[in-house]
Amino acid sequence: MEGGGRPSAAQAVLLAASTAITALLYSVYRQKARVARGLEGARKVRLDGDLRAVLLEAPGRCVPYAVIEGVVRSVKETLSSQFVENCKGVVQRLTLQEHKMVWNRTTHLWNDYEKIIHQRTNTTPFDLVPAEDGAGVTVRVVKPLEAAELSLETVYEKFHPSVQSFTDVIGHYISGERPKGIQETEQMLKVGTALTGVGELVLDNATIKLQPPKQGMPYYLSSLDFESLLQKQESSVRFWKILTVVFGFATCAVLFFLLRKQYRHHRERQHLRQMQEEFRQAQERLMNTEGGEILKNACVVCLSSTKSCVFLECGHVCSCHQCYQALPEPKKCPICRQGITRVVPLYNS
């Protein structure tokens, strides 16, 4: 603690940083908890012949947050994999990713670095249909790329290592970057994949659509079943809750430490004021007793002997010779705290 009982700059920064991190973690935790509660309260509907009747009875022919499970089926032509034969899908994502080693000048280590240099996503309209054929009910999936969790399967992956000459190696060491190669990846949402869709379910004329919800809740198109998806969100909530509690305890510990220091400083100041008041009262009692005139000439240090020293250069007469000898080095006047250069004895006649 600094003078006056105020916390030091480092302590203030530590408290402010800990409080800010705790507030940020709590905000993330609340957001995750809200999502988990919304997902838990989502209405589960079956992809059967009663679905249209359910939407007709719903206000605005809409279920704001619904869970529906089905199998992917293309509406028009399917997308074919560029690398795998007879692999058909409705969402295709092609990615070129650069891998290289970068020299860290602080740690003096080579660190892995990855960068996407090109990515293209192709889509075609698709529906969710019942796993059992013959029901004749389909749900059109709208804006699948806006889903918070879109399950794509990696159907092709190949790493193309960099070919380097000796001159290239030397240049890479000088520049601090060593290319490792390019990774080529193809991901697809294949036809026939079982999906769990969570979003707004609406009846638009004769078409049932699953689209991003309007209440700010996340939109899911996951290959997990609903129970697994819910457990995944609840695990995320527990993780952020634990982080929030840990940093919250750390913030409370820092605050308790500072308040304890402040309290101890306050107690010390209060004790000092009490001692000064008792000393003042004792002086007043002594001055009011017989011999008060004598006490006026008493040494301000011991209050028993007579003043017998003149301190120069300040000129104060306030101490006896014994108390002057007892003053710590460098000797200073007890009244004004000015340094004493020499002492002149005082003789009362």
Side-chain angles (χ1 to χ4, degrees):
M1 303 288 284
E2 293 181 344
R6 296 184 300 273
S8 65
Q11 292 170 342
V13 169
L14 178 61
L15 180 60
S18 179
T19 303
I21 293 174
T22 302
L24 178 62
L25 292 175
Y26 179 70
S27 175
V28 175
Y29 159 70
R30 288 201 52 183
Q31 174 65 20
K32 296 289 184 181
R34 186 180 71 88
V35 170
R37 288 194 303 268
L39 191 60
E40 187 176 6
R43 182 175 177 179
K44 299 178 184 179
V45 295
R46 294 179 59 85
L47 195 55
D48 55 19
D50 297 332
L51 179 57
R52 190 178 300 274
V54 171
L55 291 173
L56 286 172
E57 295 176 358
R61 297 185 177 183
C62 171
V63 178
Y65 209 46
V67 179
I68 192 164
E69 297 178 349
V71 175
V72 174
R73 187 183 71 181
S74 177
V75 176
K76 299 179 180 179
E77 294 183 358
T78 57
L79 301 173
S80 298
S81 170
Q82 293 187 4
F83 305 98
V84 182
E85 293 184 0
N86 300 323
C87 184
K88 305 289 185 179
V90 293
V91 178
Q92 179 189 49
R93 179 170 292 163
L94 301 169
T95 305
L96 290 179
Q97 190 173 39
E98 179 186 16
H99 292 259
K100 61 182 177 181
M101 303 288 288
V102 177
W103 177 255
N104 190 314
R105 303 183 186 277
T106 303
T107 61
H108 298 284
L109 295 173
W110 289 96
N111 298 328
D112 288 323
Y113 177 78
E114 299 176 359
K115 178 184 177 181
I116 295 177
I117 57 178
H118 178 72
Q119 188 174 77
R120 185 177 79 248
T121 303
N122 303 318
T123 62
T124 187
F126 67 95
D127 293 337
L128 290 181
V129 299
E132 302 81 10
D133 294 333
V137 179
T138 62
V139 174
R140 179 68 49 84
V141 177
V142 180
K143 300 179 181 179
L145 298 183
E146 294 186 11
E149 183 173 330
L150 177 60
S151 298
L152 299 179
E153 179 183 350
T154 301
V155 297
Y156 177 82
E157 189 174 23
K158 185 175 181 180
F159 183 76
H160 303 276
S162 299
V163 179
Q164 303 175 16
S165 65
F166 180 73
T167 306
D168 294 334
V169 172
I170 295 177
H172 296 154
Y173 273 97
I174 295 175
S175 65
E177 293 186 1
R178 289 190 306 176
K180 296 173 63 178
I182 302 295
Q183 183 172 352
E184 190 175 15
T185 306
E186 182 182 26
Q187 296 172 298
M188 295 190 72
L189 178 59
K190 295 195 293 185
V191 174
T193 302
L195 277 188
T196 299
V198 184
E200 183 181 70
L201 201 62
V202 60
L203 179 60
D204 185 7
N205 295 326
T207 305
I208 303 175
K209 295 181 179 180
L210 179 68
Q211 58 190 18
K214 297 182 176 63
Q215 296 86 1
M217 297 297 292
Y219 182 34
Y220 293 101
L221 293 173
S222 175
S223 59
L224 299 174
D225 59 82
F226 178 69
E227 295 300 327
S228 300
L229 183 62
L230 182 59
Q231 289 177 5
K232 181 179 178 180
Q233 296 302 317
E234 290 175 346
S235 298
S236 177
V237 171
R238 285 193 296 269
F239 171 76
W240 287 102
K241 182 177 182 180
I242 291 173
L243 278 183
T244 303
V245 170
V246 169
F247 275 88
F249 273 120
T251 303
C252 291
V254 173
L255 182 61
F256 174 77
F257 172 78
L258 296 181
L259 290 178
R260 181 172 175 269
K261 287 288 187 180
Q262 182 74 14
Y263 175 73
R264 291 180 59 183
H265 178 77
H266 173 72
R267 288 291 301 274
E268 290 174 358
R269 291 184 59 187
Q270 191 176 26
H271 181 65
L272 179 61
R273 286 196 298 266
Q274 183 178 357
M275 291 180 61
Q276 291 174 341
E277 180 64 21
E278 291 176 354
F279 182 75
R280 185 186 64 79
Q281 292 176 359
Q283 281 186 321
E284 290 179 354
R285 287 196 299 270
L286 289 174
M287 292 298 294
N288 292 333
T289 59
E290 294 182 0
E293 292 296 327
I294 298 176
L295 288 174
K296 289 182 180 180
N297 294 322
C299 170
V300 299
V301 180
C302 63
L303 296 177
S304 58
S305 301
T306 306
K307 301 174 183 176
S308 59
C309 297
V310 180
F311 296 149
L312 300 176
E313 302 295 333
C314 64
H316 282 121
V317 181
C318 58
S319 170
C320 63
H321 184 71
Q322 289 82 1
C323 291
Y324 163 72
Q325 294 292 335
L327 290 175
E329 296 292 342
K331 298 184 184 299
K332 295 182 179 181
C333 174
I335 301 299
C336 65
R337 308 304 298 166
Q338 184 176 341
I340 301 173
T341 58
R342 61 194 181 98
V343 179
V344 176
L346 177 69
Y347 301 99
N348 294 322
S349 59

